[in-house]
């Protein structure tokens, strides 16, 4: 399950109608993103990596499991 809530005075508020029994273990992850990252698109943030891998096999997309895990190649 995945729900997005907010913190109000150090208490996590879940959306209306979402209830968990007392004692339920949960993981809390902040979704706040630093301002300098938020202003750039994903392409802008990854721009320095474009073209860095220029010696990969031409069939990598189709046969990634072969190259990574040793599975048989796909035709």
């Amino acid at each position: 399950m995945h729900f997005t809530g907010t913190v109000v005075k150090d208490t996590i508020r879940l959306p209306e109608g979402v209830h968990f029994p007392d004692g339920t273990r949960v993981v809390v992850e902040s979704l706040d993103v630093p301002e300098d990252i938020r202003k750039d698109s994903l392409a802008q943030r990854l721009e320095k990596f474009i073209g860095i891998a220029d010696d990969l096999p031409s069939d990598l997309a189709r046969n990634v499991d072969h190259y990574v895990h040793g599975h048989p190649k796909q035709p």
Side-chain angles (χ1 to χ4, degrees):
M1 280 188 274
H2 176 224
F3 299 100
T4 301
T6 52
V7 176
V8 178
K9 297 182 182 177
D10 293 328
T11 301
I12 297 170
R13 302 288 175 120
L14 295 172
E16 190 172 323
V18 176
H19 303 283
F20 290 105
D22 287 345
T24 300
R25 293 175 48 121
V26 297
V27 174
V28 178
E29 176 183 352
S30 173
L31 297 178
D32 291 333
V33 178
E35 183 66 34
D36 60 329
I37 292 175
R38 201 176 327 152
K39 67 181 178 183
D40 295 336
S41 71
L42 179 61
Q44 289 169 317
R45 288 181 277 156
L46 299 178
E47 186 175 25
K48 64 183 174 185
F49 300 107
I50 294 173
I52 199 169
D54 57 3
D55 59 347
L56 298 175
S58 60
D59 66 342
L60 179 63
R62 184 175 52 253
N63 286 300
V64 70
D65 286 333
H66 167 73
Y67 294 110
V68 175
H69 305 291
H71 295 193
K73 275 191 167 187
Q74 299 298 314

